[in-house]
Amino acid sequence: WSAVPREASITSNSPAQTVTPVSRTSPSNGATGVSVHRETILDFPEPLASDAMLSGDTFYAEAAGRRILSRAELTLDRRAAKLFYLEPVPAGTRVTVRFNGDNVRDARGQAVDADGDGKPGGVAIVTFDTANTAALKGTAVTGHVYASDPVAVGTGFTNRPLAGVLITVDGAEDRLRT
């Protein structure tokens, strides 16, 4: 998780108001080795407006020079936005996620302070690098796969081996498997 300022004040002719920032991101900005199957999450310290909507121009990701096909959703409590990827995210690639706070209102009707400058609106940008799945010559994965529930043996427990398990590398399931 990446923490950003939790709350900022703005000044106006009316009593002090606060703006709703992006409080955390997952993955964090600058993260490396991120799974190609992981969604992107933005947290807010308070709910967004009950009619808040996320469009493809409001919350999206890009990699390798193009937008990644995705679906954006708000959680039921409207305190988080999630971006689910609908196509494989390239391995070993820099991903840039953008969230346009100008297009999303908080419960008080103000634009979300996406860029953390203490003012309504702005764009949050989160970049991360996905895990590299390039095979390294001379490497192998060896070992055993056990069930998550051990077997009772005498007065103790022992691992229960599983046979016929398929092991794959995230993002390279079609070519790195055993």
Side-chain angles (χ1 to χ4, degrees):
W1 289 94
S2 175
V4 293
R6 294 203 51 88
E7 193 169 279
S9 296
I10 61 171
T11 58
S12 68
N13 295 334
S14 60
Q17 298 176 350
T18 58
V19 292
T20 301
V22 174
S23 57
R24 291 189 300 171
T25 70
S26 177
S28 61
N29 192 34
T32 59
V34 175
S35 170
V36 297
H37 296 296
R38 181 166 176 191
E39 70 276 359
T40 299
I41 305 168
L42 305 181
D43 281 338
F44 310 101
E46 52 193 79
L48 299 182
S50 60
D51 63 349
M53 301 283 289
L54 300 175
S55 73
D57 290 325
T58 299
F59 191 23
Y60 61 92
E62 299 171 315
R66 68 175 196 81
R67 281 196 185 185
I68 300 171
L69 182 62
S70 59
R71 180 184 80 245
E73 294 183 7
L74 286 173
T75 56
L76 289 176
D77 65 2
R78 298 183 327 276
R79 293 178 64 128
K82 295 184 177 186
L83 190 64
F84 297 96
Y85 301 105
L86 303 176
E87 65 176 299
V89 176
T93 301
R94 164 88 23 106
V95 176
T96 301
V97 177
R98 297 179 197 283
F99 176 79
N100 188 340
D102 294 327
N103 298 339
V104 181
R105 304 276 174 220
D106 65 16
R108 291 183 305 277
Q110 298 180 103
V112 172
D113 175 18
D115 57 6
D117 67 357
K119 299 175 187 171
V123 177
I125 299 174
V126 178
T127 60
F128 59 88
D129 295 329
T130 56
N132 189 341
T133 60
L136 298 175
K137 187 175 181 174
T139 62
V141 175
T142 61
H144 303 278
V145 178
Y146 297 106
S148 60
D149 54 335
V151 182
V153 175
T155 59
F157 292 91
T158 189
N159 288 323
R160 182 170 51 94
L162 295 176
V165 175
L166 177 65
I167 306 287
T168 64
V169 174
D170 281 354
E173 293 87 352
D174 59 330
R175 57 189 171 79
L176 297 175
R177 63 189 312 136
T178 187

